[in-house]
Amino acid sequence: MRTGEPLPAVGEVLAALATGQWHWSTATGLVTVDPEAARLLGLPEERATLRESQVRARLHPVDWNEIAGVIQLAVAECTLGEVRVRIMDERGGVVRVTRSRFKPSFDPHKRSYEVIGTLQEVTEPEPGTPAGRRAVTGDWRRSREAFLLDAGRALAEARSTAEVLRVAAGLSMPGFSPDGLAVFGVEADRLTIIGHHGQQPGDEGPFSHMSIQTDYPAAEVVRTGRAVYLSSPEQYHSRYPVTWPLAAHFGRHSWAFLPLTVAGRTMGAWMAAFTYPVAFTPDERSVLTTVARMLAQALSRAGAAETQRALTDGLQRSMMPTLGPQEIPGMSVAARYVPTGGGLQVGGDWYDMIPLPSGRFALVIGDVQGHDVRAAGLMGQLRIALRAYASEGHRPDAVLSRASRFLHGMTDEGADSSDLRFATCLYVEVDPAAATLDIARAGHPDPAIRMADGTVLTRPTAGGLPLGIDPDADYPTTRITLEPGETMLLCTDGLIETGGHDLETGWKRLRSILEEHKGDLEELADALVQAVHGPSSHHTTGPLADRREDDIAVLLLCREGEGCGCGETEVVRPTVRRTMLTVAQDEPERVAVARQQLRELLHDWSSADQIDSAVLLLSETLTNVLVHTDADALLLAEVRGEVGGRRMRVEVTDTSDDLPHKRRPGELASSGRGLMLIELLADTWGVDPRGQGKSIWFELDEDAQESP
């Protein structure tokens, strides 16, 4: 061809170079090939329009799938695509190996691709040669797929930004692995360094807080959302002359900068740098792009989780008090709060310790209905209100009455009737000097007392409705005395019922921990939480099918003494245990409470028949006071001695001077047999006059030959 003559047609040039041309429209499902492309496909050498299935039948199935993936990648990056394609005959043998380069476009309205490309035969590289290692083969694809599966699994399991970065730094990509990584974030109009690997500490300085308008690859990626591949230092220097000096001293030869995109928003950029030249073939770009997408998702999840944890920690720190190293003469306090395992990890459970103007202090524990942000907000406000009322010097019943009115006003005014909330609460005013506890209860579980010898009793206390239900509710006060070496447990229902337990089985589980523990108060708090919330709880599930977890709040108060485990002395369990209870004339239902208290006191008694006898005699003595006098009854039960040779003493005292008399009732008489039963079943018994009133008592010696 002479100079000045017109250029030949494109088709003639391609034919002269043994290069075919093809066009594929996914909208119509048709592929048009020129004569040379038809020949390479093993078809008659003439122009033809083929169906996709006809073309697919001539290609290796792995290569056909590869073409679809590279088309999507090329469209996303606005680049050319290139693949190696094996042409098959009717028997499944490889006829030739071709290379196809193409330019795809995407029509968003039709949701289809238009692809125009070339097809040229190439020589299959020899195994073991560099070209052979770069060839697109089935083995390479399988290695790539295995790598992507492992990488996706590892990134999905990462729970923090630091873990995500460690996983990214440890990825070994098939055939090429970067030795330098950096993850860039965006704050306002500045780049930030989220993390890096393969550089020395401090090397990130020049790249931190860089404007996204800077002539730097990562900044361009953030601005445009498109990847930047730099195969050589010359290419880097040519495209980014201003910032090339910043990268030159690292000694790298190739760089890939890819966008970190989540939900259509570019949240940053990922840099992979190589110490050797990388051509960034379509297959290599595909791997890098896939890893970048997984990395962006992992960083997004980790960031959301860290934000949630920060919110949870902030809420918990602001709403939950710290007991601190507060000195309480003769007493120790320990507390724990454990949020449930799901959701926001903050709920309506709380505890508090409040110094009072009288020099005493108050222990408060409660649970606002629900496990959400609203419950947490109400909990915080209710805790502040309780502190305010207590600091004014009100008694426990007045504190809870005012708190109930406060919560009722908060949840009733303008609230959705389907979202009204209430709260259970237990308020204890502690007098360290007298070791007395004045308890007011609003629908909360009763406290439990671990006695000095390890016996655990639930202490029934008078109570009222949960806070917030009735603004005019009353909350009677119960006074008990904490003896030396005794420990009081206050908890929310999460400690009792977690693991599918009801109140009965839940208390049984806690009782075993309280009775067997020998450590100090802090160790006991940990043991209680671990028994319910730790791995062992999965082996002690309760009878209920519902296994939902709840928040756990625990408060422990110990009066120091022999057997409590506080201090540095060795725990020595004393051989005396006792309980006291008042039964008023207008509270006949407390007779059943007294019977239960006696059974708990005798939980390890050797003879079950003697326990039944003692409970029967207690019922008789208490009923005798309520029926034949106008006074209240005071129960005192004691157990003394070593196991197998103990003696129980039950004493009922009243203020009436009328002494009981033994009678001989007729066969049909409805009363008069109480003293006869005592004389028959007790080992010893008696009636002792007091200065005002009297006491009737009986004793039983433990029969070690019988078993419960």
Side-chain angles (χ1 to χ4, degrees):
M1 184 178 67
R2 295 185 178 87
T3 303
E5 293 183 358
L7 294 173
V10 174
E12 296 178 8
V13 174
L14 294 177
L17 297 175
T19 300
Q21 188 177 5
W22 57 274
H23 173 266
W24 178 22
S25 172
T26 60
T28 61
L30 299 177
V31 180
T32 302
V33 294
D34 68 0
E36 181 62 22
R39 182 189 70 81
L40 293 174
L41 290 173
L43 300 173
E45 190 173 347
E46 58 186 23
R47 184 178 181 84
T49 299
L50 310 171
R51 297 188 304 275
E52 288 182 9
S53 58
Q54 292 176 288
V55 177
R56 186 183 304 175
R58 312 299 300 181
L59 306 185
H60 193 287
V62 174
D63 298 342
W64 174 264
N65 294 332
E66 185 71 20
I67 292 173
V70 174
I71 287 175
Q72 295 179 6
L73 177 64
V75 169
E77 297 184 350
C78 296
T79 59
L80 296 177
E82 180 178 340
V83 292
R84 287 179 180 267
V85 182
R86 286 165 289 184
I87 309 301
M88 314 295 291
D89 58 19
E90 290 78 2
R91 296 183 298 276
V94 177
V95 177
R96 62 180 58 87
V97 177
T98 63
R99 178 177 62 190
S100 179
R101 301 192 69 187
F102 48 83
K103 175 66 176 179
S105 61
F106 180 71
D107 187 338
H109 300 291
K110 296 182 179 179
R111 307 291 298 176
S112 62
Y113 293 95
E114 295 284 336
V115 189
I116 183 170
T118 62
L119 193 64
Q120 186 178 35
E121 185 172 3
V122 295
T123 303
E124 180 71 6
E126 294 294 329
T129 64
R133 287 194 298 270
R134 291 194 298 268
V136 182
T137 63
D139 291 340
W140 193 93
R141 291 190 184 93
R142 284 190 290 271
S143 298
R144 182 191 65 183
E145 292 167 0
F147 159 75
L148 292 176
L149 285 174
D150 291 340
R153 187 182 303 111
L155 289 171
E157 293 173 355
R159 291 292 178 265
S160 66
T161 300
E163 289 183 28
V164 172
L165 295 175
R166 281 197 297 270
V167 170
L171 295 179
S172 180
M173 302 181 188
F176 69 111
S177 293
D179 74 317
L181 300 173
V183 176
F184 297 87
V186 182
E187 289 185 3
D189 61 345
R190 299 281 173 175
L191 288 179
T192 61
I193 301 291
I194 298 176
H196 62 89
H197 172 74
Q199 288 78 231
Q200 296 297 322
D203 285 346
E204 72 277 7
F207 305 95
S208 298
H209 304 291
M210 180 184 289
S211 172
I212 61 173
Q213 303 302 324
T214 305
D215 186 30
Y216 180 65
E220 180 178 324
V221 167
V222 170
R223 292 196 306 268
T224 64
R226 295 177 181 175
V228 172
Y229 298 100
L230 304 170
S231 300
S232 65
E234 293 75 19
Q235 190 176 3
Y236 196 130
H237 181 269
S238 174
R239 288 187 61 177
Y240 305 98
V242 175
T243 55
W244 163 246
L246 298 177
H249 74 279
F250 289 104
R252 303 281 166 48
H253 289 81
S254 298
W255 299 261
F257 292 83
L258 297 104
L260 298 175
T261 305
V262 177
R265 183 180 66 88
T266 301
M267 56 180 287
W270 173 46
M271 180 200 76
F274 303 82
T275 55
Y276 52 87
V278 178
F280 296 119
T281 65
D283 293 284
E284 292 168 343
R285 295 188 183 193
S286 176
V287 171
L288 290 169
T289 301
T290 304
V291 172
R293 290 171 180 169
M294 294 190 296
L295 181 60
Q297 294 290 339
L299 288 171
S300 177
R301 288 193 302 269
E306 289 170 347
T307 300
Q308 179 174 309
R309 284 194 293 269
L311 174 60
T312 299
D313 292 343
L315 281 172
Q316 185 172 335
R317 283 195 301 270
S318 63
M319 295 182 177
M320 300 301 293
T322 55
L323 300 183
Q326 198 163 358
E327 291 293 334
I328 304 172
M331 291 187 171
S332 301
V333 181
R336 296 291 184 273
Y337 172 72
V338 181
T340 189
L344 188 60
Q345 299 239 338
V346 67
D349 290 25
W350 89 95
Y351 65 82
D352 206 351
M353 180 175 174
I354 309 170
L356 302 178
S358 61
R360 303 177 180 183
F361 66 92
L363 296 179
V364 188
I365 193 166
D367 182 3
V368 176
Q369 176 196 12
H371 187 275
D372 51 22
V373 175
R374 176 167 166 76
L378 288 175
M379 176 267 286
Q381 296 175 78
L382 182 58
R383 187 176 77 85
I384 294 171
L386 281 164
R387 267 188 165 265
Y389 297 140
S391 299
E392 291 176 352
H394 298 293
R395 296 289 297 161
D397 54 343
V399 171
L400 290 193
S401 295
R402 284 167 167 76
S404 182
R405 192 173 300 114
F406 170 81
L407 184 59
H408 183 272
M410 285 185 58
T411 59
D412 185 60
E413 294 179 4
D416 183 358
S417 59
S418 64
D419 195 30
L420 297 177
R421 303 295 181 100
F422 61 84
T424 65
C425 183
L426 190 67
Y427 183 97
V428 183
E429 184 175 314
V430 183
D431 183 352
T436 57
L437 311 175
D438 292 333
I439 303 173
R441 187 170 59 86
H444 202 80
D446 283 305
I449 301 293
R450 186 185 71 173
M451 308 179 76
D453 71 335
T455 299
V456 177
L457 303 177
T458 55
R459 286 290 191 188
T461 56
L465 293 171
L467 304 179
I469 293 180
D470 182 0
D472 299 319
D474 293 326
Y475 297 96
T477 302
T478 302
R479 171 171 288 186
I480 65 175
T481 300
L482 200 62
E483 299 292 339
E486 291 186 345
T487 301
M488 178 180 66
L489 165 68
L490 309 178
C491 66
T492 56
D493 54 4
L495 187 71
I496 304 172
E497 299 175 349
T498 293
H501 286 271
D502 53 25
L503 287 176
E504 181 179 354
T505 62
W507 273 121
K508 183 178 180 181
R509 174 175 57 173
L510 295 179
R511 178 178 285 113
S512 65
I513 301 298
L514 289 165
E515 290 175 346
E516 297 169 4
H517 187 75
K518 299 293 192 289
D520 62 19
L521 208 61
E522 294 292 337
E523 293 172 346
L524 176 58
D526 290 334
L528 288 168
V529 171
Q530 287 301 316
V532 174
H533 206 264
S536 61
S537 65
H538 299 294
H539 305 291
T540 57
T541 53
L544 304 180
D546 190 349
R547 296 284 190 264
R548 286 179 298 179
E549 295 183 348
D550 196 3
D551 294 343
I552 294 174
V554 181
L555 259 177
L556 294 171
L557 174 68
C558 175
R559 183 181 179 187
E560 297 172 359
E562 186 179 12
C564 72
C566 297
E568 299 179 358
T569 59
E570 183 179 354
V571 176
V572 178
R573 299 297 191 194
T575 56
V576 179
R577 69 175 75 151
R578 65 173 58 89
T579 185
M580 297 180 66
L581 184 70
T582 300
V583 180
Q585 282 285 329
D586 59 349
E587 296 178 324
E589 68 278 0
R590 286 179 64 83
V591 174
V593 175
R595 290 197 298 264
Q596 180 62 29
Q597 287 278 288
L598 185 58
R599 284 192 178 275
E600 291 184 354
L601 193 72
L602 303 175
H603 69 97
D604 58 350
W605 197 260
S606 300
S607 171
D609 290 339
Q610 286 185 313
I611 296 176
D612 293 338
S613 298
V615 171
L616 174 61
L617 297 183
L618 174 62
S619 295
E620 287 293 333
T621 53
L622 288 175
T623 303
N624 184 68
V625 173
L626 297 181
V627 172
H628 298 292
T629 72
D630 294 327
D632 298 338
L634 174 64
L635 163 66
L636 172 63
E638 290 184 345
V639 176
R640 295 177 177 270
E642 300 292 340
V643 176
R646 293 172 292 186
R647 165 166 287 205
M648 94 174 70
R649 178 184 175 91
V650 178
E651 184 175 337
V652 176
T653 304
D654 63 80
T655 57
S656 173
D657 294 326
D658 296 334
L659 298 179
H661 300 283
K662 187 188 298 184
R663 294 185 289 171
R664 296 187 180 277
E667 183 177 338
L668 300 179
S670 59
S671 63
R673 298 184 178 84
L675 293 183
M676 294 179 60
L677 287 173
I678 294 176
E679 187 175 48
L680 179 64
L681 297 177
D683 292 330
T684 57
W685 68 283
V687 179
D688 296 335
R690 304 281 185 177
Q692 181 180 3
K694 64 182 180 300
S695 67
I696 180 169
W697 56 270
F698 63 87
E699 294 181 349
L700 289 173
D701 295 322
E702 186 174 20
D703 187 351
Q705 301 301 317
E706 299 187 39
S707 58

